[in-house]
Amino acid sequence: DPFIKKMGSGLILDNEGKKMSKSSANGVSPMDVIDKYGSDATRLHVHFLGGYEDNNPWTFDGIKGITSFLNKVWELKDIIVGEGISKEHTVEINTLIKKITEDLEELKLNTSIAALMSFIKKVREDGFITKEELRIFLILLNPLAPHITSEMYELIYSKNIIDESWPSYDNNSLES
């Protein structure tokens, strides 16, 4: 077998716990959600509902939180201070790189998003992010929200984010 392990995706369920499908006429049109909230918000919301292999009920409850998160990501460009990795964020950025790298390999997309949200919270509390920290953050978020990250990357760095390599972390700078 060419695969190391088998993973099956879970189902999106309606409010009665039934599988959403066209034949049951209980689905939510993805295009309606994308038209209202955008494709990045829609992707993040679906991933944030639960684990990849879990059956999760569809809800609009969290999509406003996802939209708020993406607005906070966009606003990061307004609080850039300095170039390298700051001593205030060294542990957080290295921990984030490790967490996102491992979570993406295991398709733990919901916990990846939660870690990205926690990092944003820390940065906003501190009132700044460096240019390098933002660069790393955008690369880590890119597989989950490719449109906003590509736009910001081009705007701030005048480069295409898909040409960048995945960041690595320093084991000596991780939280214990």
Side-chain angles (χ1 to χ4, degrees):
D1 290 335
F3 304 103
I4 297 171
K5 69 179 181 177
K6 178 186 175 200
M7 289 188 75
S9 64
L11 302 172
I12 301 293
L13 309 173
D14 67 8
N15 57 355
E16 296 175 7
K18 291 194 241 172
K19 176 176 113 174
M20 282 191 177
S21 66
K22 281 197 256 181
S23 61
S24 297
N26 64 346
V28 173
S29 167
M31 291 312 296
D32 291 345
V33 181
I34 289 169
D35 289 344
K36 186 169 182 177
Y37 298 100
S39 57
D40 281 344
T42 302
R43 286 168 58 107
L44 285 172
H45 179 62
V46 169
H47 294 318
F48 200 56
L49 288 174
Y52 181 78
E53 293 188 289
D54 299 337
N55 295 334
N56 300 296
W58 174 261
T59 175
F60 280 100
D61 291 345
I63 201 160
K64 288 190 174 136
I66 293 295
T67 303
S68 173
F69 167 69
L70 289 173
N71 288 336
K72 290 172 186 172
V73 169
W74 184 257
E75 292 166 357
L76 290 177
K77 63 186 177 19
D78 300 328
I79 61 169
I80 298 173
V81 175
E83 294 293 325
I85 295 175
S86 67
K87 64 179 175 51
E88 293 88 349
H89 299 151
T90 299
V91 170
E92 286 83 4
I93 199 76
N94 280 283
T95 303
L96 185 65
I97 295 167
K98 183 178 191 297
K99 172 82 172 141
I100 302 302
T101 302
E102 291 172 354
D103 280 0
L104 290 180
E105 288 174 3
E106 296 293 319
L107 293 177
K108 294 180 179 177
L109 307 178
N110 56 333
T111 59
S112 291
I113 296 166
L116 292 160
M117 289 175 168
S118 293
F119 182 74
I120 290 282
K121 183 178 180 205
K122 167 71 172 143
V123 164
R124 288 173 51 94
E125 285 171 0
D126 292 345
F128 76 95
I129 189 168
T130 69
K131 208 166 182 181
E132 179 63 9
E133 292 163 0
L134 181 56
R135 186 186 77 78
I136 292 168
F137 178 84
L138 291 174
I139 292 169
L140 296 174
L141 178 58
N142 183 258
L144 301 165
H147 301 286
I148 190 172
T149 55
S150 295
E151 185 70 24
M152 287 182 70
Y153 207 86
E154 188 174 320
L155 180 71
I156 297 165
Y157 304 98
S158 301
K159 295 180 185 175
N160 191 334
I161 196 167
I162 62 172
D163 294 331
E164 298 297 324
S165 41
W166 193 256
S168 58
Y169 57 90
D170 176 12
N171 274 321
N172 297 323
S173 297
L174 296 174
E175 286 180 329
S176 34

